[in-house]
């Protein structure tokens, strides 16, 4: 027969590590290793942050010192007079004819593309055009030494079309006056359509284009002075 010990175990007897569950032992060891790694990583990151903060403080101090030095140098600097290599009067006298020719050409230049773009933006939807004429004023030559004079009465911008009502014509007229490149916008005629269509108005509008030579009024004709007559006293 096998002997069985029925006495309770001694509670003061310590358990050896060999009798512990291997999973508990491994888990405890891993937990300790993780805590050590976290502590080491935190210390390294903290040290890097302190080093970067020290660099930032030093950079700010250096920037403040440079700002003070630059401000002081700006107050101390004196204006430097640079002597021109070519005298200004000589350059001006040489380029003045070219400048005058360029200014004369630019003063009479007409930007038709810009005028058409501005006109397309202000054209009402209830207005239809039947014709659009853009004419540059003709310039005739005069005597030498005198500026060329344009033909009087030339209109640079003329349109004709139809609208649903006179209100549409008035709206188009007011919008054309807002175009910067047009001047003297005038309503030539506005009347109901002759074909008997209800709600149709035919109109024509003319305007002058800015930048084109303005018509020059003809000079008054010279009048010869009347010969003076004298009357003698008769005795």
């Amino acid at each position: 027969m096998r002997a069985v010990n029925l006495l309770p175990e001694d509670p003061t007897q310590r358990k050896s590590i060999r009798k512990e569950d291997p999973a508990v032992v491994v888990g405890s060891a891993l937990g300790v290793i993780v805590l050590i790694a976290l502590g080491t990583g935190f210390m390294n990151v903290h040290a890097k942050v302190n080093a970067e903060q020290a660099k930032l403080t030093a950079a700010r101090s250096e920037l403040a010192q440079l700002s003070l030095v630059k401000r002081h140098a700006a107050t101390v600097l004196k204006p430097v007079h640079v002597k021109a290599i070519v005298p200004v009067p000589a350059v001006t006298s040489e380029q003045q004819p070219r400048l005058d020719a360029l200014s004369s050409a630019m003063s009479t230049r007409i930007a038709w593309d810009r005028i058409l773009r501005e006109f397309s933006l202000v054209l009402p939807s209830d207005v239809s055009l039947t014709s659009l004429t853009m004419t540059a004023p003709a310039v005739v030559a005069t005597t030498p030494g005198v500026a060329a004079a344009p033909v009087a009465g030339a209109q640079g911008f003329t349109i004709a079309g139809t609208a649903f009502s006179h209100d549409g014509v008035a709206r188009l007229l007011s919008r054309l006056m807002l175009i910067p490149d047009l001047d003297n916008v005038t309503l030539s005629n506005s009347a109901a359509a002759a074909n008997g269509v209800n709600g149709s108005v035919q109109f024509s509008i003319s305007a002058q284009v800015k930048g084109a030579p303005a018509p020059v009024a003809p000079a008054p004709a010279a009048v010869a002075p009347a010969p003076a007559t004298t009357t003698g006293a008769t005795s």
Side-chain angles (χ1 to χ4, degrees), residues 10-232:
D10 188 3
T12 60
Q13 186 180 0
R14 297 181 179 178
K15 294 183 179 180
S16 62
I17 193 171
R18 295 179 179 179
K19 295 182 180 181
E20 293 289 341
D21 189 3
V24 176
V25 175
V26 173
S28 302
L30 290 177
V32 173
I33 294 173
V34 169
L35 290 177
I36 294 174
L38 290 176
T40 305
F42 176 77
M43 295 299 294
N44 292 335
V45 172
H46 187 67
K48 291 181 180 180
V49 169
N50 290 336
E52 296 297 331
Q53 186 67 31
K55 291 181 181 180
L56 179 60
T57 304
R60 288 179 177 176
S61 301
E62 185 177 359
L63 179 60
Q65 293 177 1
L66 291 176
S67 300
L68 293 176
V69 172
K70 185 177 180 181
R71 184 180 304 174
H72 180 69
T75 56
V76 173
L77 289 177
K78 295 181 179 180
V80 179
H81 298 283
V82 180
K83 185 178 180 181
I85 300 176
V86 180
V88 176
V91 176
T92 303
S93 61
E94 180 182 353
Q95 296 182 351
Q96 190 62 38
R98 301 179 182 177
L99 182 61
D100 293 340
L102 179 61
S103 300
S104 177
M106 293 298 295
S107 63
T108 58
R109 178 179 178 271
I110 302 175
W112 296 112
D113 55 342
R114 184 177 64 221
I115 296 174
L116 289 175
R117 181 172 64 253
E118 294 171 349
F119 174 70
S120 64
L121 294 176
V122 301
L123 182 65
S125 58
D126 58 344
V127 175
S128 301
L129 296 183
T130 57
S131 66
L132 189 152
T133 305
M134 296 184 298
T135 307
V139 180
V140 297
T142 57
T143 57
V146 180
V151 177
Q155 295 291 339
F157 187 84
T158 304
I159 59 174
T162 59
F164 291 157
S165 63
H166 291 284
D167 294 338
V169 178
R171 185 164 56 253
L172 174 61
L173 190 65
S174 61
R175 291 184 181 183
L176 289 177
M177 293 180 181
L178 299 178
I179 297 180
D181 291 316
L182 296 183
D183 195 10
N184 296 331
V185 180
T186 305
L187 178 64
S188 300
N189 61 72
S190 176
N195 53 8
V197 179
N198 295 329
S200 179
V201 176
Q202 294 180 348
F203 66 90
S204 62
I205 299 175
S206 61
Q208 293 180 353
V209 180
K210 293 183 180 180
V216 178
V223 179
T229 57
T230 57
T231 57

Side-chain angles (χ1 to χ4, degrees), residues 4-9:
V4 178
N5 186 9
L6 298 178
L7 295 175
E9 295 181 357

